[in-house]
Amino acid sequence: MLRVPYDDLYAALVRATERLGLSGERAALCAHLFAETTRDGVYTHGLNRFPRFAEMVANGSIDVNAEPTHIAGDAALERWDGHLGPGNLNAHAAMERAIALARQFGIGGVALANTNHWMRGGSYGWQAAEAGVFALCWTNTLPNLPAWGATTPTLGNNPLVIAVPRPETGGRHVVLDMAMSQFSYGALASYSAGGKELPVPGGYDSAGNLTTDAAAIEASKRALAIGYWKGSGLSLVLDMLAAMLSGGLATHEIPRDPARESGVSQVFLAIDPSSFAARADLARIADGILESLRLAIPVDPAHPVRYPGEHTLQLREENLRLGVPVDAAPWAWLQALSF
Amino acid sequence: MLRVPYDDLYAALVRATERLGLSGERAALCAHLFAETTRDGVYTHGLNRFPRFAEMVANGSIDVNAEPTHIAGDAALERWDGHLGPGNLNAHAAMERAIALARQFGIGGVALANTNHWMRGGSYGWQAAEAGVFALCWTNTLPNLPAWGATTPTLGNNPLVIAVPRPETGGRHVVLDMAMSQFSYGALASYSAGGKELPVPGGYDSAGNLTTDAAAIEASKRALAIGYWKGSGLSLVLDMLAAMLSGGLATHEIPRDPARESGVSQVFLAIDPSSFAARADLARIADGILESLRLAIPVDPAHPVRYPGEHTLQLREENLRLGVPVDAAPWAWLQALSF
């Protein structure tokens, strides 16, 4: 593993996005979102995901020139069309609009159809938290998760993001970013390649037994939803809300080829209670909750209990200080593309 | 198990709520919410829960005369105070207000502080769906769930409800109602009393091993969150939003004695896209998603895959037809109270 300065990663990503046809502020923001994802330790959806992004621009799944447009809604809820533009730019614009609606109405919602993979969902949670507002957002995906009681994948893993701003803390927001599958296929591949057992059951083997053998789950395609029947139900309703509110595609209509997973639907909700809630009171409540978590007796004294986003902040600090870890192959590929 | 006509159960509950000090429409609605919960097969939170409700009225945790009041917010987001009134009446009023805000603004939110256990959370999802709007709502609870990596319960099981209306179907809405624990303590007690093994791991035993032995989990108090670290994080952020938006208590501040679990915080979000989404288009999208689920290959051909709420509708129909199942002891208790 190589470590490169954050600014070098960002600069190479700007040049690469320009090569793909983006320019100006859009190239900068797209590169920024990819670079920050790697900086924050979500390696699967930063630099390592960029070659897929380039492939989808090349095969026409992503239209780099498309910008999202307002379709309908004249109050606190709006429907937007992403016109198959870059998923991270579309999602960032949708959350920005939801934040503006929340500032005006206290709560605002944007449903976005015809967009593309938003890469790291957490990006839009951090975006809202940095703006000082609460947010919930989610996306549907191609079918990759069997419903509870089914053997074939008809649900998406439909990541859900929930953000709690803590403006007094210099950015120590609480941001949950969780897919509905217990493990992603990327995580399963990493365990099976390393010959390592999953820490908890991650799916069923082909004989129908719960297993911690990642390779067996890759073979059966029977990954497990979080909480068995519960995550299965949650995935379904998130898909229904995303497709129905946006008027876009549902999971069962999204192409199953990951290189052509396009036209997904997303929802962005932002909540701004600042018209009636004093910042000091919000901070007191948040601090109390996190302090009670910190005081929980840990299973392993060497591992205190953490809140969602806490590990992200540790990795961010470490990666900015030591350089951002990059895998040699995509880093070489990026430099070849961008020079 | 006894079966009694729905109208008899409802009438006995009306008389019982009147004995507790409620009157008129409030007595009728409170009884209605308890009776419908049993009718819909959520036996733990209907009639069987009524003795606890009566106990909490008697010990002062519930003030039957208190009605919720608007505290703040003059647009699509409002803060309400439940003044420790009956939890189901407060929650119903809060969802009714969120629905009205959604009709006006497209989306509306009500954060409710100082309320009591809402009994079946799904009630407020069905309420929104019957009104033709989408809804998300959740509550915090007393601490009953260890955070991931902790041995002591500091989180609540914080049920989350998501409702998708299907007005064309004569009430066949999709309503998810899920707590953040894999199994409730009520469910664990039922398995251990019957000497039955849990179908999937439900927690850790006192030695720290994942187990399907319900009695071992009751002893260790280490119930499992759905999806291990994921449900733990989701429970935490739902508590943060509920307490921060409402200005009310967080889980760590709620009395741990179940007979005095009072002052909880809740959030009700309603979404009404009808100003721009044609009903026929919404129905087409919902039907397509549920049809794709129905076509999933089941593990057991005798058990087709179901959507959240589908089993509820089956039980509702059956219980209205055959009579609502009641346990002899609480039914006798209720009749003694109400005559």
Side-chain angles (χ1 to χ4, degrees), chain B residues 164-252:
Chain B
V164 177
R166 299 177 70 217
E168 293 71 24
T169 62
R172 303 189 76 76
H173 311 299
V174 178
V175 180
L176 176 79
D177 177 2
M178 58 179 254
M180 295 300 126
S181 52
Q182 188 66 56
F183 297 99
S184 67
Y185 274 100
L188 293 176
S190 155
Y191 276 95
S192 65
K196 288 198 331 199
E197 202 184 358
L198 298 171
V200 297
Y204 292 88
D205 62 21
S206 296
N209 300 308
L210 269 182
T211 182
T212 54
D213 178 349
I217 300 164
E218 290 178 291
S220 72
K221 300 277 179 207
R222 288 185 61 188
L224 196 61
I226 59 165
Y228 307 89
W229 51 91
K230 293 191 174 191
S232 171
L234 184 52
S235 169
L236 182 83
V237 296
L238 292 178
D239 184 36
M240 294 188 84
L241 265 75
M244 293 170 77
L245 295 178
S246 73
L249 300 185
T251 282
H252 71 97

Side-chain angles (χ1 to χ4, degrees), chain A residues 72-73 75-77 79 105-107 134 136 147-152 154 162 164 174 176 178-179 181-183 200-201 222 226-230 233-234 236-237 239-241 243-245 247 250 252 269 271-273 276-277 282 285-286 288-290 292-293 296-299 305 307-308, chain B residues 72-73 75-77 79 105-107 134 136 147-152 154 162 164 174 176 178-179 181-183 200-201 222 226-230 233-234 236-237 239-241 243-245 247 250 252 269 271-273 276-277 282 285-286 288-290 292-293 296-299 305 307-308:
Chain A
L77 179 70
R79 182 180 269 188
F105 295 102
I107 183 168
F134 296 78
L136 301 91
W148 178 247
T151 59
T152 48
T154 53
I162 302 182
V164 177
V174 178
L176 176 80
M178 58 178 253
S181 52
Q182 188 66 56
F183 297 99
V200 297
R222 288 185 61 187
I226 59 166
Y228 307 89
W229 51 91
K230 293 191 174 189
L234 184 52
L236 183 84
V237 296
D239 184 35
M240 295 189 83
L241 265 74
M244 293 171 77
L245 296 178
H252 71 97
L269 306 181
I271 304 176
D272 179 9
F276 55 75
L282 294 174
I285 296 169
I289 293 171
L290 297 181
S292 83
L293 188 74
I297 298 168
V299 175
V305 178
Y307 63 81
Chain B
L77 180 70
R79 182 180 270 187
F105 294 103
I107 183 169
F134 296 79
L136 301 90
W148 178 246
T151 59
T152 48
T154 54
I162 301 182
V164 177
V174 178
L176 176 79
M178 58 179 254
S181 52
Q182 188 66 56
F183 297 99
V200 297
R222 288 185 61 188
I226 59 165
Y228 307 89
W229 51 91
K230 293 191 174 191
L234 184 52
L236 182 83
V237 296
D239 184 36
M240 294 188 84
L241 265 75
M244 293 170 77
L245 295 178
H252 71 97
L269 307 181
I271 305 176
D272 178 8
F276 55 75
L282 294 174
I285 295 170
I289 292 172
L290 297 182
S292 83
L293 188 74
I297 298 169
V299 175
V305 177
Y307 62 82

Side-chain angles (χ1 to χ4, degrees), chain A:
Chain A
M1 188 191 67
L2 214 58
R3 283 188 182 267
V4 302
Y6 175 79
D7 290 346
D8 291 3
L9 174 64
Y10 171 67
L13 281 163
V14 170
R15 290 190 299 270
T17 55
E18 287 171 348
R19 281 293 181 93
L20 295 180
L22 287 157
S23 60
E25 284 183 14
R26 280 165 61 81
L29 179 58
C30 186
H32 181 76
L33 289 164
F34 271 107
E36 287 195 336
T37 297
T38 298
R39 175 202 68 188
D40 284 359
V42 187
Y43 304 115
T44 48
H45 287 78
L47 168 64
N48 291 351
R49 180 81 188 203
F50 198 85
R52 166 86 58 82
F53 178 75
E55 180 187 359
M56 292 183 70
V57 172
N59 75 20
S61 298
I62 296 171
D63 176 359
V64 289
N65 296 312
E67 300 192 37
T69 57
H70 174 266
I71 297 296
D74 56 7
L77 179 70
E78 294 183 346
R79 182 180 269 188
W80 284 65
D81 189 318
H83 302 293
L84 304 184
N88 57 2
L89 293 181
N90 279 349
H92 190 274
M95 183 56 90
E96 210 58 22
R97 182 64 193 148
I99 292 167
L101 291 170
R103 292 206 200 286
Q104 185 180 352
F105 295 102
I107 183 168
V110 171
L112 176 66
N114 302 318
T115 189
N116 274 299
H117 196 304
W118 66 8
M119 304 298 132
R120 174 177 66 145
S123 295
Y124 319 106
W126 289 97
Q127 174 189 350
E130 279 295 310
V133 310
F134 296 78
L136 301 91
C137 58
W138 62 91
T139 183
N140 62 13
T141 69
L142 58 78
N144 56 17
L145 187 66
W148 178 247
T151 59
T152 48
T154 53
L155 300 176
N157 66 2
N158 300 356
L160 170 67
V161 175
I162 302 182
V164 177
R166 298 177 70 218
E168 293 70 26
T169 62
R172 303 189 75 77
H173 310 300
V174 178
V175 180
L176 176 80
D177 177 3
M178 58 178 253
M180 295 300 125
S181 52
Q182 188 66 56
F183 297 99
S184 67
Y185 275 99
L188 293 176
S190 155
Y191 277 95
S192 65
K196 289 198 330 199
E197 201 183 0
L198 298 171
V200 297
Y204 292 88
D205 63 22
S206 296
N209 300 308
L210 269 183
T211 182
T212 54
D213 177 349
I217 299 164
E218 290 177 292
S220 71
K221 301 278 180 207
R222 288 185 61 187
L224 195 61
I226 59 166
Y228 307 89
W229 51 91
K230 293 191 174 189
S232 171
L234 184 52
S235 169
L236 183 84
V237 296
L238 293 178
D239 184 35
M240 295 189 83
L241 265 74
M244 293 171 77
L245 296 178
S246 74
L249 300 185
T251 283
H252 71 97
E253 300 169 306
I254 297 169
R256 285 173 184 252
D257 174 357
R260 296 181 183 276
E261 180 193 21
S262 189
V264 304
S265 302
Q266 298 169 349
V267 176
F268 301 83
L269 306 181
I271 304 176
D272 179 9
S274 62
S275 75
F276 55 75
R279 274 175 65 154
D281 288 334
L282 294 174
R284 175 184 53 75
I285 296 169
D287 291 351
I289 293 171
L290 297 181
E291 179 67 3
S292 83
L293 188 74
R294 204 184 60 77
L295 294 176
I297 298 168
V299 175
D300 175 353
H303 292 98
V305 178
R306 290 190 303 215
Y307 63 81
E310 189 170 358
H311 188 50
T312 301
L313 290 165
Q314 290 167 1
L315 286 170
R316 182 185 298 177
E317 184 279 321
E318 187 177 300
N319 290 342
L320 286 173
R321 184 163 42 84
L322 303 175
V324 179
V326 295
D327 290 332
W331 178 238
W333 178 92
L334 184 72
Q335 292 183 299
L337 179 71
S338 61
F339 282 106

